Amino acid sequence: MSSLPPDSRVIFVQNGDFRAAAERIALGIGETYDAQKYSMDVVERLVPQTALTAVICITAEEPHDETLASGVRSIGFENIWSRKKPLKPVIAALEALAPTHLVLRLPSRELLTWARRRKVRMLPSFADSFKPRQGLHGWVDRLRLRRLAQAIDHPSVDFAGNHNVGAAESLAAIGVRPEKIIPWDWPRSPTPADFPSKAMAVPGPKKLVYVGSVTEAKGVGDVLRALAAEPGLEGGTTLEVVGAGDIDDMKALARSLGVADRVTFVGRVPHAEVAPRMHAADAVLVYSRHAYGEGLPGTIYLALASRTPLVVSDHPMFVAYLRDGEDVLVAPERRPDALAGRLRRLLGDPALYERLSQNSEAAFARIVHPVLWGEFVERWLRDSAEDRAWLAALTLPRWRRNGGKAI
């Protein structure tokens, strides 16, 4: 990448904890999610080219303000959403840092408005879906999303990114012009080439695995309720829950449902362990509720790579990519009984099980998107005529003309 002007001050605002991740990787513990080190490398490569490269982390493990060994300044805030004005300290930090470029990795109209008023170049780059809730709350959501779209669609914003085509389409659906939306993806490892396809295991107890945030919105409570519905397998079914979140609440729910003896809460594990854990299981579950505003989660890529059949909710971002009965099995959200029924079907039909495992390779290839986040960000920062042309050629209308498929 060509150098930026030497007085450039590039700030990323995001979830997570950049400092904690850097420390874990330096200790050899490894990544906690797919492409974590890749995204950090993109940031760290900017240090020699800028007057300041900094990351503001809004969900840090502990508050901090530290320049790391890489030269990246990491500023962490803890529990900002419990504050009356949650983004006030973030804006104060931005005021002090005086960025020339802002890469905004969470959808915030307030931060977009601040950047526009300060004449800061800004790049919205999300991994979120945007859909109003049903019922009385829907009009509040529609108003909020319309205002967000207006802030993104302002002439001060050249381009906006979202993770893969389905999430990019959801950004267009709330009113952002498709001509400025660029779908992007992470580099993926492992792939289905790293694991053999699977056949149904011999009769006996079956093992399910869930990986991700341990919350109701991600469907963990519904998975526990489905387990309590008892898929009727010989010896009972066990569940391994991998990830951090509301673990104490979910343990209490498991006890109340009478399934605590069949559920193991593992907590976080290094990213390198996730796909092998999935491959060792009999089924993988990704049962997010519609209200959970994600793009296409990395756990779906990992499950397909592991070749273990996958059961998902009918989240709009999932069904846009995955075929029920061919790539995965789909159960309606918030329906533990329906999820249990899909598990009975999957684990009682060896031909279906083998077909889903074999088809995972083609499904994986179909959902991987060729535009990588790092090049998207670097091209926008560099901002040459060639880079602007490259970005303009990869906006949403191109993918629509190709039927939503990567070119």
Side-chain angles (χ1 to χ4, degrees), residues 45-318:
R45 285 200 299 268
L46 297 173
V47 171
Q49 308 171 49
T50 62
L52 174 69
T53 299
V55 180
I56 297 177
C57 311
I58 66 166
T59 53
E61 296 176 14
E62 59 183 21
H64 65 270
D65 184 349
E66 180 180 336
T67 299
L68 309 179
S70 63
V72 174
R73 183 171 171 184
S74 178
I75 300 171
F77 295 101
E78 186 181 29
N79 298 325
I80 69 165
W81 301 117
S82 64
R83 303 170 187 242
K84 186 176 182 180
K85 294 184 177 180
L87 292 175
K88 184 177 179 180
V90 176
I91 289 175
L94 287 169
E95 292 279 5
L97 294 171
T100 57
H101 301 75
L102 175 65
V103 180
L104 183 60
R105 298 183 63 186
L106 63 147
S108 167
R109 182 175 68 95
E110 188 173 352
L111 295 180
L112 287 163
T113 301
W114 176 88
R116 185 181 73 241
R117 289 174 176 170
R118 296 298 187 277
K119 301 188 185 307
V120 176
R121 282 196 72 214
M122 54 182 153
L123 179 67
S125 174
F126 308 140
D128 299 84
S129 57
F130 301 92
K131 184 178 180 180
R133 289 169 291 180
Q134 299 295 318
L136 295 176
H137 297 292
W139 72 270
V140 176
D141 290 345
R142 285 189 288 273
L143 177 61
R144 174 180 56 83
L145 292 173
R146 183 165 66 248
R147 289 175 173 174
L148 174 66
Q150 289 169 346
I152 296 169
D153 221 29
H154 191 273
S156 59
V157 177
D158 301 317
F159 297 100
N162 210 351
H163 177 224
N164 223 313
V165 177
E169 287 285 7
S170 79
L171 200 53
I174 66 171
V176 180
R177 285 182 295 117
E179 293 77 14
K180 69 165 41 179
I181 302 171
I182 296 178
W184 57 265
D185 203 352
W186 301 113
R188 296 296 169 182
S189 177
T191 74
D194 297 309
F195 294 93
S197 62
K198 298 175 63 173
M200 178 71 73
V202 297
K206 298 297 187 291
K207 179 180 178 181
L208 314 177
V209 65
Y210 166 87
V211 179
S213 297
V214 184
T215 65
E216 278 282 11
K218 281 289 285 180
V220 177
D222 295 326
V223 170
L224 294 173
R225 296 178 187 100
L227 186 65
E230 181 51 61
L233 303 169
E234 182 181 344
T237 307
T238 61
L239 171 68
E240 182 176 82
V241 178
V242 179
D246 302 330
I247 291 178
D248 289 342
D249 291 343
M250 291 299 149
K251 284 183 175 179
L253 177 60
R255 288 193 296 271
S256 72
L257 293 169
V259 296
D261 61 329
R262 292 193 281 145
V263 182
T264 303
F265 290 89
V266 178
R268 281 199 184 103
V269 302
H271 170 70
E273 293 183 15
V274 174
R277 283 177 179 269
M278 289 178 168
H279 185 74
D282 295 291
V284 180
L285 305 175
V286 181
Y287 198 58
S288 306
R289 294 181 175 182
H290 293 185
Y292 194 85
E294 60 189 335
L296 192 62
T299 48
I300 285 181
Y301 293 86
L302 286 170
L304 293 173
S306 79
R307 311 300 290 268
T308 294
L310 174 63
V311 182
V312 303
S313 72
D314 59 347
H315 191 289
M317 292 299 101
F318 305 172

Side-chain angles (χ1 to χ4, degrees), residues 200 231 233 311 324-326 328-331 338-353 355-356:
M200 178 71 73
L233 303 169
V311 182
D324 186 24
E326 294 298 325
V328 301
L329 288 185
V330 179
L339 176 58
R342 298 305 188 275
L343 288 168
R344 292 188 195 101
R345 179 185 171 197
L346 172 66
L347 299 174
D349 186 338
L352 170 65
Y353 191 96
R355 181 170 75 247
L356 295 185

